[in-house]
Amino acid sequence: KTNIQNNKMIERYLTQTQFSSEEDFREHLHFIVPDTFNFAYDVMDEWAKEAPDKLALLWTSERGEEVKTTFAGFKEQTDRTAAYFLSLGISRGDKVMLILKRHYQWWLAMMALCKIGAVAIPATHMLTKKDIVYRNRRASVKAIICVNDEYVTTQVRQSVLESPTVEVLVAVNSMVQRDSPVPEGFHDWHKEWPEAPAFVRPEEVNTNGDTMLMYFTSGTSGEPKMVAHDYLYALGHLVTGVFWHNLDGNGIHLTVADTGWGKAVWGKLYGQWFAGATVFVYDHEKFTAGKIMRVMEKYRVTSFCAPPTIYRFMIQEDFAKYDLSALEYCTTAGEALEPAVYQKFFNLTGIRMMEGFGQTETTMTLGTFPWIKPKPGSMGKPNPQYDIRLLKPDGSVCEDGEKGEICIDTSAGKPIGLFKGYYRDPELTERAWHDGLYYTGDIAWRDEDGYYWFVGRADDVIKSSGYRIGPFEVESALMTHPAVVECAVTGVPDVVRGMVVKATIVLADEWRSKAGDALVKELQNHVKHETAPYKYPRIIEFVDALPKTISGKIRRVEIRERDNR
Ligand code: ATP
Ligand code: MG
């Protein structure tokens, strides 16, 4: 049974709002799709009318700042922001890059761009000048709104020399240092924003098929790809926030994600506001599990979502030091969650983590919905928004237990939530999406109860002595050993076997001094004991940290490249 009762916003967009079983959900999840849907007007502003005093955003920072904004407050502030953008010459269809970290203004900019029909391109602050030039040119970016931080503004300013389409630069200070001067060539948000004229809603803002948002993928397997989403994408996330995060109007939800990662719109905006929940933001520079747990305690966060990597570090903490009694619901996605992590977190908190699977290209695609009992290590079951197929390389359909690629059947049309394509890259789009099927590039199998189990990215699957070995299974086996905090399993080329299995391992602090042959043997025996022995890692390397994307995903490709050199 789900939480929501009498939620007017959800009733407006779904033919049925209460579901009590998986079958019920599969049969009766139907969207009511308006002729033109615009999240900012149709959800955020509507909440402002219906529940003006409801808390939309609770923003805090590690500098001790705190801002609480109601839906009414948000309507007013985003109207002002939209007017400000119009005054800068930004209008419908213009591409606007947002490099705003977790600054409060990211939410204003996202909603304001939606209100004027301009396209938001959130990006990470780690980009170099070269990365920014690439994005500016690929997307014909017209304006860049970025944090007023020396590194970022320098990269942005230099990028403009090689980006003929960029006309407008805006620098945004943190809430504390409002008055720091902005570099030459930049508009000063804090000076100009309060002076913005009254907002007049443009007559025509968007159609449902227009591009609303573009995100780059994480770049886990190669160069990030530019994903274009239409206006209905936001509607698709109703399921993410209401039925995966299981939020209602009383929830305070924290998703740990940089705003430059697609996960930010999964967990920090659309779905949460459909539910009428409060989005909790902690604007911080460097992640530590302890810091996050301290703010969760202080602000009584009820619902938490983070990629597995964050939980792996949380379970190393002393939970007795934190009061997380307000926490009710925890979710994870972005990478596979090892059962050992699930179990330890459950032992510490009594909370069963609900895993989900999806991509920048989609909304939540497979997931553990409230009425599904989680099986540790499984991603859950299909979201009925999508028609999921598991396909073998020859195109035939997998039986239960057989491994295949997770595909979305689009022969009946593009489902709500699925991307439009890779922007200005029809070839790449065609490679992933053809003949009525979108190929996710991820391999999984389904058990007889309909649960899906992740095997690995197609590129990460190891072919050794005629076996196909999924890294996740070996990693899961290693994770049950107390010495292992994190690990990545990859294939190393081998003349005899084609590939041999290698594990790159980060050890727990108290085990570091024991790194050596004896521990290698012990871990190898441990894997042989936990899973079929042919999968054990013949090579083990101990490292201080694994190569990761900004979203915290392990880049196995980087380990492979290093080993191939
Ligand atoms: P790139 O496409 O640039 O290589 P990426 O695929 O990591 O990067 P994202 O769109 O952020 O970029 O991530 C989607 C991918 O994350 C999925 O295709 C899948 O490989 C992985 N993923 C997401 N959720 C899960 C999960 N629950 N279990 C295993 N893998 C997951
Ligand atoms: Mg991808």
Side-chain angles (χ1 to χ4, degrees):
K1 193 150 169 64
T2 50
N3 271 336
I4 39 148
Q5 248 146 30
N6 305 324
N7 179 322
K8 293 207 187 81
M9 210 54 67
I10 297 166
E11 282 166 8
R12 224 174 267 177
Y13 295 105
L14 292 183
T15 52
Q16 177 177 324
T17 59
Q18 295 285 317
F19 304 97
S20 55
S21 71
E22 193 194 328
E23 290 68 38
D24 193 16
F25 190 53
R26 222 173 22 223
E27 234 169 273
H28 298 291
L29 180 84
H30 295 297
F31 285 94
I32 300 164
V33 183
D35 288 342
T36 53
F37 175 72
N38 181 300
F39 182 85
Y41 294 116
D42 298 333
V43 179
M44 190 185 64
D45 283 4
E46 285 300 304
W47 273 128
K49 273 188 218 150
E50 265 162 42
D53 300 330
K54 206 171 198 356
L55 202 57
L57 194 76
L58 172 47
W59 181 92
T60 68
S61 78
E62 64 187 338
R63 298 172 295 269
E65 302 150 288
E66 192 182 289
V67 180
K68 294 180 177 176
T69 310
T70 60
F71 279 102
F74 243 96
K75 179 195 179 315
E76 197 190 306
Q77 292 178 19
T78 53
D79 278 354
R80 179 182 294 272
T81 310
Y84 176 43
F85 289 171
L86 287 170
S87 76
L88 294 174
I90 299 168
S91 57
R92 182 176 176 182
D94 286 342
K95 318 285 188 327
V96 181
M97 195 178 334
L98 305 175
I99 309 180
L100 287 171
K101 298 187 179 171
R102 292 175 181 87
H103 280 23
Y104 180 81
Q105 291 85 353
W106 184 76
W107 282 263
L108 297 185
M110 285 293 283
M111 289 297 98
L113 293 172
C114 198
K115 284 186 170 177
I116 57 184
V119 182
I121 311 177
T124 139
H125 58 278
M126 315 255 269
L127 300 181
T128 62
K129 175 207 129 190
K130 187 167 149 264
D131 300 328
I132 301 173
V133 169
Y134 173 78
R135 284 159 172 76
N136 288 346
R137 289 177 160 254
R138 280 302 294 268
S140 308
V141 167
K142 179 169 185 182
I144 304 178
I145 302 171
C146 67
V147 291
N148 186 24
D149 129 346
E150 201 189 324
Y151 173 79
V152 174
T153 50
T154 307
Q155 306 308 309
V156 167
R157 195 149 60 153
Q158 289 177 359
S159 81
V160 172
L161 303 172
E162 297 167 43
S163 310
T165 58
V166 177
E167 294 170 19
V168 181
L169 302 179
V170 182
V172 176
N173 284 316
S174 84
M175 300 301 267
V176 159
Q177 301 160 312
R178 286 169 179 277
D179 301 327
S180 329
V182 306
E184 213 190 310
F186 284 82
H187 287 272
D188 184 336
W189 174 296
H190 296 270
K191 280 216 182 97
E192 298 172 3
W193 185 83
E195 310 292 319
F199 176 58
V200 184
R201 179 174 171 165
E203 236 164 66
E204 269 192 7
V205 176
N206 65 284
T207 70
N208 286 345
D210 284 352
T211 300
M212 171 187 73
L213 175 70
M214 298 209 275
Y215 252 113
F216 284 85
T217 59
S218 295
T220 310
S221 49
E223 280 297 308
K225 301 170 285 254
M226 197 173 202
V227 172
H229 282 296
D230 59 23
Y231 277 78
L232 294 183
Y233 176 69
L235 183 55
H237 272 306
L238 189 156
V239 172
T240 316
V242 176
F243 298 109
W244 179 45
H245 289 159
N246 198 25
L247 286 165
D248 62 16
N250 301 317
I252 302 181
H253 177 80
L254 166 60
T255 279
V256 181
D258 183 88
T259 59
W261 178 28
K263 191 77 191 305
V265 290
W266 280 48
K268 298 169 103 70
L269 192 57
Y270 305 126
Q272 295 64 37
W273 282 357
F274 267 113
T278 303
V279 171
F280 177 80
V281 182
Y282 179 51
D283 190 0
H284 63 277
E285 291 294 328
K286 241 190 138 35
F287 164 83
T288 73
K291 268 199 283 185
I292 293 277
M293 287 161 76
R294 197 52 80 201
V295 291
M296 286 167 71
E297 168 183 83
K298 179 169 175 199
Y299 290 96
R300 313 231 10 109
V301 166
T302 66
S303 168
F304 181 67
C305 184
T309 177
I310 295 212
Y311 287 103
R312 286 184 210 121
F313 286 94
M314 278 172 82
I315 58 176
Q316 306 294 321
E317 290 285 314
D318 176 6
F319 269 62
K321 291 199 320 218
Y322 305 92
D323 171 11
L324 298 184
S325 54
L327 192 61
E328 292 166 3
Y329 213 79
C330 289
T331 40
T332 189
E335 269 191 310
L337 174 75
E338 299 86 1
V341 178
Y342 172 98
Q343 201 56 50
K344 180 145 187 222
F345 188 78
F346 177 70
N347 294 345
L348 288 165
T349 61
I351 296 175
R352 296 175 204 282
M353 240 189 273
M354 307 297 254
E355 189 170 336
F357 163 92
Q359 304 184 310
T360 309
E361 291 89 336
T362 69
T363 57
M364 219 226 355
T365 313
L366 297 162
T368 317
F369 294 99
W371 44 84
I372 296 176
K373 185 159 185 269
K375 289 193 190 186
S378 160
M379 301 182 282
K381 301 187 181 189
N383 169 354
Q385 253 168 288
Y386 299 104
D387 195 357
I388 305 284
R389 302 261 179 281
L390 272 187
L391 298 180
K392 288 188 266 193
D394 66 5
S396 60
V397 178
C398 294
E399 301 289 326
D400 288 350
E402 286 182 331
K403 292 175 192 167
E405 183 165 350
I406 304 170
C407 297
I408 298 171
D409 190 330
T410 60
S411 50
K414 180 179 98 58
I416 291 176
L418 188 61
F419 72 144
K420 292 172 64 168
Y422 297 112
Y423 188 62
R424 290 185 181 163
D425 202 336
E427 255 169 61
L428 189 63
T429 308
E430 167 75 20
R431 224 180 300 153
W433 190 355
H434 51 87
D435 304 305
L437 285 164
Y438 168 66
Y439 291 79
T440 62
D442 291 303
I443 310 294
W445 60 280
R446 187 184 55 239
D447 69 16
E448 67 278 9
D449 301 324
Y451 288 70
Y452 283 66
W453 299 78
F454 188 71
V455 172
R457 291 165 186 267
D459 304 341
D460 287 342
V461 172
I462 302 159
K463 296 176 195 99
S464 180
S465 305
Y467 293 109
R468 288 170 64 81
I469 301 170
F472 179 54
E473 214 181 336
V474 186
E475 288 161 4
S476 296
L478 280 164
M479 288 295 288
T480 60
H481 192 286
V484 182
V485 174
E486 278 204 299
C487 61
V489 165
T490 52
V492 178
D494 179 85
V495 244
V496 182
R497 297 191 167 79
M499 291 266 188
V500 293
V501 177
K502 175 190 172 188
T504 307
I505 295 176
V506 178
L507 291 174
D509 287 342
E510 59 281 19
W511 287 80
R512 288 191 182 211
S513 61
K514 301 197 186 101
D517 290 348
L519 185 56
V520 167
K521 265 261 133 9
E522 181 178 330
L523 290 168
Q524 287 173 330
N525 286 333
H526 181 77
V527 174
K528 286 184 194 169
H529 187 76
E530 290 278 309
T531 177
Y534 70 89
K535 295 175 192 164
Y536 87 91
R538 284 168 196 270
I539 306 174
I540 288 186
E541 183 187 355
F542 298 116
V543 295
D544 289 337
L546 296 171
K548 287 187 182 165
T549 63
I550 176 171
S551 45
K553 299 189 195 206
I554 299 169
R555 295 198 75 225
R556 293 177 190 76
V557 62
E558 215 168 299
I559 299 174
R560 276 200 302 270
E561 280 168 8
R562 223 164 39 209
D563 290 340
N564 286 342
R565 248 181 247 143

